[in-house]
Amino acid sequence: MTETVNGAVGGAVPPAGLRLVPRADEPLKMKDFKTDQEVRWCPGCGDYAILAAFQSFLPELGVKRENVVMVSGIGCSSRFPYYVDTYGMHSIHGRAPAIATGLAASRPDLSVWVVTGDGDGLSIGGNHLIHALRRNVNIKILLFNNRIYGLTKGQYSPTSELGKVTKSTPMGSLDTPFNPVSLALGAEASFVARSVDSDRKHLQSVLREAADHQGSAFIEIYQNCPIFNDDAFAPLKEADRGTPGSGGLIRLQHGEPVRFGGGKGVRLNRYGTAEVVDVDEVGEDELLVHDVAVPDPSYAFALSRLDQPAFAHVPVGVFRKVPRPSYDELMAAQLERAAAAEGPGDLGALLASGDTWTVG
């Protein structure tokens, strides 16, 4: 048996978002979170990389497997509960945040994770998503964005680019796509981040910060669909690895100037809009120093718009991380006040009170 201090394996301090979740008696390993189910996605699907990153991250939480819950909706990403050896539910289209809200509000001893996609979470599930975020329910939402419907075979999704030719838009999409990070910030989410399926180190670092956050956490993950939208994010990844200054991913680091591509940087102009600049031309002092704790979401929102209009420069990392009471905390306190004022209550007596009828 591993020695524990304050209930944490090896004396580790439990993350704020997990402080009520029972700690594991012994250290867990990645294999402990693998099920006996055959993992079935298309060859080359980005979901494989995300699954591996997530399974290897989970032992770091230091909590019991039976106190971790995966809730998914409908789509390729929503097969996660079959492959992660915890409790889980493969629920219905778009409703995963609603089910997860009920779990988190009634069971603060659970670590609740939602797995959804751009189709599941932003179309039929859009309403549930934004309300879970504005309420600041203590759930962690992973939204896989491949900018297409994969499971239903290649229709355009809420994040497909304008003019996208698909089976359901043979002459090109007329819809302006959602920016998931902008949407989450507009819903006042207290934690918002973005990562990429192929960057395991970066993805795991974002997952750690999300787990440490008390309240809702939203992470958009760029995920490649090799069958219906192959290499949708390849230009970003290639530019990120290639010629300095060619664009690509802008890696946000709290407390650090926002720089990328060798000689490029980001500043806020007089309108409060984030813009890409040449560092040699404007000087280091003009560069924006990233701060995830800015209370007003408009700062993080400005950063989220850097991918407009040509998707040439895309920030990844944590955009916003601010403290705010979570819904489940507020609800528990409200129930305690009600019990103190009115007594513990009797459900049977309540149901039998007032006008009642006996049905023969």
Side-chain angles (χ1 to χ4, degrees):
M1 189 72 70
T2 302
E3 181 183 1
T4 62
V5 178
N6 295 328
V9 174
V13 177
L18 298 168
R19 65 181 186 277
L20 299 179
V21 182
R23 311 303 292 172
D25 296 324
E26 297 180 350
L28 297 171
K29 299 179 180 179
M30 179 179 179
K31 66 179 182 179
D32 296 316
F33 290 95
K34 293 183 177 182
T35 70
D36 60 358
Q37 299 296 301
E38 178 187 0
V39 181
R40 298 183 65 183
W41 286 305
C42 300
C45 177
D47 288 355
Y48 286 102
I50 300 173
L51 176 63
F54 189 71
Q55 287 173 326
S56 61
F57 149 78
L58 282 175
E60 297 181 18
L61 296 181
V63 300
K64 294 184 176 181
R65 281 189 305 159
E66 57 265 36
N67 290 85
V68 178
V69 182
M70 307 292 300
V71 183
S72 67
I74 297 297
C76 298
S77 63
S78 295
R79 297 183 64 82
F80 253 58
Y82 297 105
Y83 305 142
V84 181
D85 199 5
T86 64
Y87 280 109
M89 175 181 288
H90 190 173
S91 70
I92 54 180
H93 206 189
R95 273 61 176 183
I99 294 168
T101 293
L103 276 172
S106 60
R107 291 286 304 272
D109 60 325
L110 299 178
S111 174
V112 183
W113 296 78
V114 172
V115 179
T116 185
D118 51 303
D120 179 62
L122 297 177
S123 57
I124 192 171
N127 197 45
H128 294 291
L129 177 71
I130 60 174
H131 288 298
L133 294 176
R134 77 173 177 89
R135 288 176 176 136
N136 203 34
V137 182
N138 191 29
I139 59 178
K140 318 306 173 190
I141 301 174
L142 311 182
L143 186 142
F144 299 7
N145 181 9
N146 54 29
R147 306 173 83 187
I148 202 76
Y149 274 97
L151 186 67
T152 52
K153 308 300 186 288
Q155 300 84 359
Y156 84 120
S157 85
T159 58
S160 295
E161 60 271 29
L162 190 66
K164 181 74 171 180
V165 175
T166 73
K167 293 178 180 178
S168 55
T169 53
M171 297 181 66
S173 170
L174 302 176
D175 293 1
T176 298
F178 271 137
N179 178 320
V181 168
S182 297
L183 184 75
L185 290 166
E188 296 277 359
S190 56
F191 181 103
V192 180
R194 177 189 285 142
S195 191
V196 184
D197 57 3
S198 58
D199 192 338
R200 182 167 177 166
K201 182 178 179 181
H202 185 269
L203 175 56
Q204 289 181 322
S205 71
V206 170
L207 291 171
R208 291 185 194 101
E209 289 204 60
D212 192 44
H213 182 69
Q214 176 65 20
S216 64
F218 176 85
I219 304 174
E220 177 191 16
I221 306 172
Y222 286 163
Q223 177 256 326
N224 189 52
C225 176
I227 304 301
F228 298 109
N229 203 21
D230 195 22
D231 288 338
F233 306 107
L236 291 174
K237 298 176 184 179
E238 291 167 2
D240 189 53
R241 295 189 295 264
T243 306
S246 61
L249 302 178
I250 302 174
R251 298 177 181 275
L252 301 175
Q253 292 288 339
H254 178 66
E256 297 291 331
V258 182
R259 299 190 58 149
F260 69 102
K264 299 293 183 181
V266 176
R267 71 175 178 184
L268 292 181
N269 61 27
R270 60 179 177 150
Y271 301 108
T273 303
E275 61 181 8
V276 174
V277 295
D278 190 306
V279 179
D280 290 336
E281 291 182 4
V282 303
E284 291 280 349
D285 292 341
E286 282 286 304
L287 296 186
L288 183 66
V289 177
H290 186 46
D291 187 351
V292 300
V294 175
D296 192 320
S298 60
Y299 158 73
F301 187 88
L303 284 176
S304 75
R305 307 310 291 174
L306 278 169
D307 66 358
Q308 304 297 318
F311 209 63
H313 312 295
V314 177
V316 294
V318 178
F319 288 75
R320 188 175 195 235
K321 185 179 182 180
V322 295
R324 185 154 63 90
S326 65
Y327 182 87
D328 32 304
E329 289 178 310
L330 295 173
M331 190 186 77
Q334 191 176 72
L335 291 173
E336 288 180 6
R337 291 195 301 272
E342 305 292 339
D346 185 330
L347 180 60
L350 176 65
L351 293 175
S353 65
D355 294 329
T356 61
W357 295 267
T358 300
V359 179

